[in-house]
């Protein structure tokens, strides 16, 4: 497989999709809810996913697509080439803020990540990686992450995990929030992952993410030395939903050991 | 006083300061700490405040400047024309993220706000208002805020206020976080205020802000119908530090009544 050619193609369709999404603000965006009233989807999410599916199938009909909106085929394994796609990560931001939403894509070959992309559609900012070759931010190389002390870390975490919940002991998260230098929350997992791989945040965690939220980001993570696992410290389960922690390597294990206590 | 002329002048120096700050990323930024290890200041914060002071004094030596870095004269009252300036709101973002920091300015005449500005330096996005005449986002009129239900609100709040603290009952804030549609935290009060006045957030609160954090924003708030008070529901104290809540008018009183319990 010609990885460079695949990379060029992926960038091309990401930029084209971004252009289409930006243009959508000048016509009607239809909003629906999915699993719950806070889980939004729009016609633009669906149209963008279909756009990717059509382009990829035309490029190579053997490639399969695992997308948030489920408009590709059912994907039960990662054999061959699988594109894991979130057409709009941060749909609530897309609808309400007209910013802070990402296209994110990971390309996997027999389960191994080879190409990763997170594209900030409004800023036209691309974070991407080619496995084993490096990672870039708008074509400038991203540096390996430098060590950070937990007291100087800025971490991405949703305030919900600081409140009593069924998944983790929130008292431990309170300790974490009170230990670090600061916290941020942007409403887009892919945005927070992009910030970790570029050193703008030092960690990001969530108790329930889908493969398309993180599929692009973990490939970029590897190239800059960020560690991305589930909360058991193992690889994220790409065929299901899972917990997730991405962090600077100097604090990843510390966060798992000292501040995460899952309720199982 | 010619308010239009003052407005033109203010915009001119804000855009020029923004250009200088963006250029600063290509030379050395020196970082120091102020009141505590997480309270950062840089040479660029200071140089930018000095830039504003020099420009304003040249424009009219009678105008006084109340700035975050304290490089203007001591201001004990709001008589005459007072510029309330934060040269870089979100210094930690400036240093670590190279984005998400604002120049924010309020111009007050005998204590009454007449001109307000929040400028996203990296996006070159300007939110501004002329009292009684309206508010704009990059020269497009900002609309009056439309009613929102608390269950559909997205609010800006730092995770620290969700943890036990000396200022408010965090148990009530937990209820708030679990009631609303979502929370965000950007690390810049002015950015969160800009998001409220433009409907990208529905509320933002903090337990301890300074006049320069909010002096520009509250003038914009008035023009779009956002309500900005301290947590007693009174006007913010411009000569001290104070608590702060800015919100869509349909939920401001509800948040004060139901979710805020100050420890006094």
């Amino acid at each position: 497989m010609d990885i460079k050619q695949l990379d060029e193609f992926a960038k091309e369709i990401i930029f084209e999709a971004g252009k289409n999404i930006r243009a959508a603000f000048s016509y009607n965006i239809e909003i629906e809810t999915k699993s719950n009233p806070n889980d939004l989807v729009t016609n633009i999410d669906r149209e963008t996913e279909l756009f990717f599916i059509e382009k990829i199938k035309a490029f190579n009909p053997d490639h399969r697509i695992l997308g948030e909106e489920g408009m590709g085929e059912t994907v039960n394994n990662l054999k061959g080439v699988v594109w894991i796609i979130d057409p709009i990560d941060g749909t609530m931001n897309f609808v309400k803020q007209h910013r802070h939403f990402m296209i994110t894509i990971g390309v996997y070959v027999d389960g191994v990540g080879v190409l990763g992309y997170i594209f900030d559609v409004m800023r036209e900012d691309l974070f991407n990686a080619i496995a084993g070759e490096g990672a870039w931010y708008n074509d400038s190389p991203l540096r390996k992450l430098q060590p950070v002390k937990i007291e100087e870390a800025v971490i991405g975490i949703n305030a919900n995990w600081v409140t009593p919940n069924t998944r983790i002991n929130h008292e431990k998260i309170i300790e974490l929030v009170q230990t670090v230098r600061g916290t941020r929350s942007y409403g887009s997992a892919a945005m927070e992952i992009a910030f970790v791989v570029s050193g703008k945040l030092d960690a990001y965690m969530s108790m329930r993410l889908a493969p398309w939220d993180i599929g692009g980001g973990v490939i970029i993570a590897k190239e800059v030395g960020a560690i991305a696992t589930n909360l058991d410290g193992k690889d994220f389960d790409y065929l299901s939903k899972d917990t997730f922690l991405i962090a600077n390597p100097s604090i990843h294990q510390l966060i798992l050991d000292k501040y995460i206590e899952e309720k199982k």
Side-chain angles (χ1 to χ4, degrees), chain A:
Chain A
M1 193 177 319
D2 185 338
I3 294 292
K4 285 277 193 295
Q5 185 202 14
L6 199 60
D7 178 53
E8 287 307 315
F9 168 69
K11 284 181 180 164
E12 194 183 296
I13 59 177
I14 287 169
F15 294 146
E16 192 177 340
K19 200 185 288 182
N20 295 342
I21 294 172
R22 289 191 299 276
F25 287 117
S26 56
Y27 54 85
N28 254 357
I29 297 173
E30 299 151 21
I31 305 161
E32 296 165 38
T33 57
K34 292 198 287 189
S35 61
N36 69 63
N38 297 340
D39 188 11
L40 306 182
V41 66
T42 73
N43 53 326
I44 312 302
D45 295 74
R46 296 210 179 95
E47 283 168 24
T48 305
E49 185 161 310
L50 272 182
F51 167 86
F52 281 124
I53 292 170
E54 282 167 16
K55 289 286 183 182
I56 293 163
K57 289 291 183 186
F59 180 81
N60 187 328
D62 294 338
H63 289 196
R64 293 184 301 151
I65 295 108
L66 174 58
E68 170 161 28
E69 309 312 336
M71 313 193 80
E73 61 267 74
T74 305
V75 173
N76 294 321
N77 60 60
L78 292 181
K79 280 183 197 143
V81 179
V82 177
W83 295 63
I84 302 182
I85 295 182
D86 196 341
I88 297 183
D89 183 73
T91 299
M92 204 186 298
N93 291 345
F94 169 65
V95 168
K96 196 175 175 81
Q97 304 192 332
H98 293 197
R99 69 180 74 186
H100 293 176
F101 58 90
M102 311 283 134
I103 293 171
T104 182
I105 293 181
V107 182
Y108 289 74
V109 178
D110 292 327
V112 178
V114 294
L115 296 169
Y117 307 89
I118 300 173
F119 183 58
D120 183 323
V121 175
M122 299 312 287
R123 283 184 68 116
E124 303 184 52
D125 258 2
L126 180 68
F127 303 79
N128 78 295
I130 301 176
E133 301 209 3
W136 296 267
Y137 169 55
N138 293 335
D139 294 330
S140 295
L142 281 173
R143 287 179 301 183
K144 292 274 174 194
L145 297 179
Q146 298 302 303
V148 65
K149 290 183 198 132
I150 191 77
E151 295 79 16
E152 292 175 0
V154 180
I155 63 169
I157 185 164
N158 190 291
N160 270 306
W161 307 121
V162 191
T163 76
N165 65 78
T166 57
R167 295 176 187 275
I168 48 167
N169 179 353
H170 77 290
E171 299 285 352
K172 295 264 184 184
I173 299 295
I174 288 174
E175 279 178 52
L176 177 63
V177 168
Q178 294 183 336
T179 299
V180 296
R181 174 166 275 177
T183 62
R184 301 286 184 269
S185 183
Y186 302 109
S188 156
M191 179 171 172
E192 306 196 44
I193 294 168
F195 275 26
V196 174
V197 298
S198 56
K200 298 180 197 309
L201 288 176
D202 302 301
Y204 163 70
M205 70 184 71
S206 182
M207 301 324 134
R208 188 173 166 80
L209 290 179
W212 41 83
D213 295 318
I214 62 101
V218 299
I219 298 167
I220 309 174
K222 233 175 215 172
E223 297 304 311
V224 299
I227 301 180
T229 65
N230 65 20
L231 294 185
D232 296 323
K234 300 194 177 120
D235 280 349
F236 190 91
D237 177 1
Y238 287 98
L239 297 173
S240 177
K241 303 222 167 187
D242 204 348
T243 57
F244 187 68
L245 169 67
I246 181 169
N248 184 296
S250 57
I251 59 172
H252 182 273
Q253 194 62 44
L254 176 68
I255 292 174
L256 281 186
D257 290 347
K258 196 163 171 192
Y259 301 105
I260 302 286
E261 184 185 317
E262 276 189 270
K263 295 177 181 169
K264 295 205 179 187

